[in-house]
Amino acid sequence: MKKLGIFPHMGKEKVCANLKGFIDLCRENHIEPYMPIELCGEYGCASYNPDNRRSMKKLDVMVSLGGDGTLLKMARCIIPLGIPGFGINFGKFGFLAEIDLPGIKNAVVKLWEGKYTIESRSLLRAEFFKKERCIITVDALNDVVLAKGSFSKLPHIRLYINGKPSGLYAADGIIVATATGSTGYSLSAGGPLVQPELDISIITPICAHSLTARALVIPMSETIEIDPGDEDMVLTADGENAAEVKQGTYVRISKSPYKMQFIRLTGSDYYQTWQQKLMRNL
């Protein structure tokens, strides 16, 4: 039996309404469902602890029930363990989640039968330096964002690529996204859509005070450094606050040694999916 870890967003009404049916569907197809330790008793499932990686090593696959934010939270748990995962979308866009609610039954059957492929996606690693000493290291599947604080003036942010001056942005911040994250914050800030298996970094200024500032796409093998100048800014990775970046500190972004193993259960085409999900919002 495959051991499937379920990572649900219990704050979503649709998830709560469909969770028991999903668990029953797994059991009908010889898949053993595991729930977070605080929910396992309520649903009669075996348990795992999201805060204890050792308890998750027994899982074969993980699935998130929610939106893209739920999938990103799940990814932080399973990426260091090499456990493959996928998402079922109960949110709005769900660019990262491959399965929508009507496709759940077919997806579970394919998972049991082994009719799926695994796709590797690259991550970014952000290192926060103070006085040339690395204080914090975080990895991001979607993006790393350096944005101004609540009461900051317009920052003037210096960008270096491989140690060479490569830009000075008068902007509210800088987004450095992966190809996977091209459909997230970077897209809303004017960045391009990128095929998610590409090993690239997308550098997109936020609300740049310029008519010529545009997104920049570079190989992920290049090292990016961002200096906030004399303004206090906040560093986030996949939407989670990581550090306060102040004068005399800087951020270095490079390719992470980790990869996310995405399970592909449908033959959907990325280009078709983008059109469907973007048009849904019109």
Side-chain angles (χ1 to χ4, degrees):
M1 292 181 70
K2 286 189 183 296
K3 296 178 180 179
L4 175 67
I6 301 172
F7 195 94
H9 188 324
M10 299 305 290
K12 289 186 178 291
E13 186 177 338
K14 283 185 179 180
V15 172
C16 295
N18 289 277
L19 184 52
K20 186 179 183 304
F22 179 68
I23 291 171
D24 291 342
L25 183 63
C26 290
R27 288 175 172 150
E28 290 167 11
N29 287 275
H30 312 288
I31 293 173
E32 185 178 0
Y34 281 68
M35 290 286 285
I37 193 166
E38 68 273 12
L39 295 171
C40 64
E42 182 180 350
Y43 291 92
C45 294
S47 70
Y48 70 89
N49 185 350
D51 298 320
N52 182 356
R53 287 181 183 170
R54 185 176 297 178
S55 75
M56 300 179 71
K57 287 183 178 180
K58 60 196 170 190
L59 302 175
D60 298 311
V61 182
M62 282 284 285
V63 59
S64 67
L65 309 183
D68 283 351
T70 310
L71 192 150
L72 290 171
K73 288 180 181 179
M74 179 188 77
R76 280 191 283 273
C77 298
I78 64 174
I79 285 172
L81 300 173
I83 298 172
F86 66 102
I88 298 175
N89 180 36
F90 287 85
K92 294 181 180 178
F93 287 111
F95 280 109
L96 300 182
E98 185 179 3
I99 309 298
D100 287 319
L101 192 56
I104 288 181
K105 184 174 182 179
N106 188 44
V108 171
V109 171
K110 283 188 172 184
L111 186 63
W112 164 242
E113 293 177 345
K115 295 180 178 178
Y116 57 83
T117 58
I118 294 181
E119 185 177 282
S120 293
R121 305 275 187 89
S122 295
L123 282 74
L124 290 169
R125 168 159 289 184
E127 298 171 295
F128 171 57
F129 284 84
K130 184 176 182 179
K131 294 182 179 179
E132 301 303 319
R133 186 164 68 94
C134 181
I135 305 297
I136 294 171
T137 300
V138 290
D139 295 293
L141 175 62
N142 244 25
D143 52 39
V144 174
V145 179
L146 188 67
K148 70 175 185 177
S150 301
F151 303 105
S152 295
K153 300 179 293 183
L154 182 68
H156 288 75
I157 306 163
R158 295 188 181 277
L159 176 73
Y160 300 84
I161 299 176
N162 292 337
K164 298 179 180 178
S166 303
L168 176 62
Y169 296 96
D172 286 350
I174 294 284
I175 304 163
V176 182
T178 63
T180 299
S182 71
T183 54
Y185 193 5
S186 175
L187 178 65
S188 66
L193 286 170
V194 177
Q195 209 276 355
E197 290 182 87
L198 295 178
D199 264 3
I200 54 90
S201 300
I202 307 163
I203 304 169
T204 309
I206 305 169
C207 299
H209 195 68
S210 170
L211 296 177
T212 59
R214 293 291 182 267
L216 179 63
V217 179
I218 65 172
M220 196 176 271
S221 56
E222 311 280 51
T223 300
I224 301 164
E225 290 183 0
I226 304 174
D227 182 347
D230 59 358
E231 289 299 319
D232 293 350
M233 305 189 77
V234 177
L235 175 71
T236 61
D238 284 344
E240 296 284 329
N241 284 2
E244 292 185 3
V245 184
K246 300 183 178 182
Q247 187 174 7
T249 65
Y250 66 95
V251 178
R252 179 180 296 160
I253 300 170
S254 56
K255 185 176 180 178
S256 170
Y258 292 124
K259 283 183 178 286
M260 171 68 184
Q261 307 298 325
F262 271 96
I263 286 185
R264 298 295 311 277
L265 291 156
T266 71
S268 59
D269 179 86
Y270 289 118
Y271 312 109
Q272 182 182 18
T273 300
W274 289 336
Q275 290 300 317
Q276 289 173 344
K277 290 184 182 286
L278 289 171
M279 291 294 288
R280 186 186 298 173
N281 196 42
L282 296 179

